[in-house]
Amino acid sequence: MDIATHLFSALYQFGDAFAFLVLSACGLAVIFGMMGVINLAHGEFIMCGAYVTAATVHAGLPLPLGILAGTVVSALVGVVVELVVIRHLYDRPLDTIVATWGLSLIATQGTLILVGSTMAGVGTPFGSFQVGAYSYSIYRIVLFCAALGVLAALYALFNWTRFGVLARATIQVPHMAAALGVDTRLIYSLTFACGAGLAGLAGGLYAPTMTLVPTMGATFIMEAFVTVVIGGADVFLGTAPAGGVLAVVKSVMTSWQGQLFGQIGLLVAVIIVVRVLPKGISGFVLRERT
């Protein structure tokens, strides 16, 4: 393998790992990083998006509309979950762990009973291309571009729109926002729905690349939490740098010793970063600014 081919392979693996980490973590960064809700059902929102995407594609919709349908359905499920369960637990973080863990079990077992142990997948679109002796999926590059697009859209949503300003105000100083006439309950519901919808988007985007089983959310949730914890509380200053750092660790360790060592590398990176930067990357950046 010549140097150019080797370099391209390394960049491709980095982009693939970065896309997976960022798309997995964005929804959790909104719900956990911004709202402080420890959502152990995050993987099941991803599974919901993947299943709805596959079902709608099998029904005849094109893949982009299927992904959109998965995103919307996950967001709507998020609204229901926030209204029925999460709304009563905002001041009880430990109870949110138990509640969302219970929701995770219910969703997994309910899907297993209703749909079965597996669901027919969706073929990966766009085909592949050749570089040297190796073949690469074009869709993986699409996923990398989608990750960048989601980060840009989130930044625009929470910084340049009225909803974003109200959401940040409600989450940071809820009593002051309420005193100024903001419907804080509605903002909480919409923000939670945004996080759930982003999780569904991740599931829809990865539906063509994975075996669809009720426990597929477990594939995402560990790396999502790792990325959010390293990133810190600020979604915009933390998620992208954390995804970049962890993508380097994961791609290097995976190419060196395989998938298992890639996972171990992520956990070791978390231990080191949390020890050195207790508030994550965004906490360090904000401290340096001040």
Side-chain angles (χ1 to χ4, degrees):
M1 183 186 297
D2 59 35
I3 295 177
T5 303
H6 185 76
L7 179 61
F8 178 82
S9 178
L11 290 174
Y12 182 87
Q13 291 182 46
F14 167 80
D16 187 29
F18 178 84
F20 187 85
L21 290 163
V22 168
L23 290 172
S24 299
C26 276
L28 189 65
V30 172
I31 293 175
F32 176 42
M34 288 183 64
M35 302 179 69
V37 175
I38 305 172
N39 180 22
L40 295 185
H42 178 69
E44 281 57 52
F45 284 114
I46 293 175
M47 181 263 292
C48 174
Y51 268 61
V52 172
T53 297
T56 52
V57 169
H58 294 321
L61 283 180
L63 180 60
L65 291 181
I67 294 172
L68 178 61
T71 303
V72 171
V73 170
S74 296
L76 293 175
V77 172
V79 171
V80 174
V81 169
E82 197 278 336
L83 288 173
V84 176
V85 179
I86 303 300
R87 173 165 295 183
H88 311 287
L89 303 175
Y90 282 121
D91 297 325
R92 297 152 59 186
L94 295 179
D95 291 347
T96 63
I97 298 176
V98 177
T100 55
W101 179 57
L103 289 172
S104 170
L105 295 177
I106 292 169
T108 301
Q109 295 304 312
T111 303
L112 178 63
I113 293 169
L114 295 174
V115 183
S117 59
T118 188
M119 185 177 189
V122 180
T124 305
F126 304 131
S128 60
F129 62 97
Q130 197 85 10
V131 176
Y134 295 93
S135 179
Y136 300 91
S137 170
I138 297 175
Y139 189 67
R140 296 286 180 176
I141 297 177
V142 173
L143 291 175
F144 176 73
C145 295
L148 296 178
V150 167
L151 287 173
L154 272 178
Y155 182 84
L157 175 65
F158 284 101
N159 286 278
W160 297 344
T161 67
R162 177 176 171 78
F163 166 75
V165 173
L166 294 179
R168 288 187 287 116
T170 298
I171 291 165
Q172 292 172 11
V173 194
H175 61 279
M176 183 64 71
L180 293 173
V182 178
D183 187 345
T184 55
R185 290 191 173 189
L186 176 62
I187 295 298
Y188 274 124
S189 293
L190 292 177
T191 306
F192 194 92
C194 176
L198 287 169
L201 174 63
L205 287 169
Y206 277 95
T209 69
M210 303 182 69
T211 301
L212 302 184
V213 295
T215 56
M216 65 177 292
T219 307
F220 294 84
I221 193 165
M222 186 276 283
E223 299 191 17
F225 268 102
V226 163
T227 305
V228 173
V229 168
I230 285 185
D234 193 293
V235 178
F236 317 109
L237 294 178
T239 303
V245 170
L246 293 176
V248 171
V249 173
K250 183 179 179 181
S251 58
V252 169
M253 296 296 290
T254 300
S255 62
W256 176 43
Q257 289 290 339
Q259 189 71 27
L260 177 60
F261 273 76
Q263 301 292 330
I264 294 173
L266 292 181
L267 296 178
V268 172
V270 171
I271 294 171
I272 294 173
V273 172
V274 169
R275 178 65 183 86
V276 176
L277 303 173
K279 294 185 179 181
I281 294 174
S282 63
F284 172 76
V285 173
L286 292 172
R287 184 182 66 188
E288 290 299 312
R289 285 183 175 180
T290 57

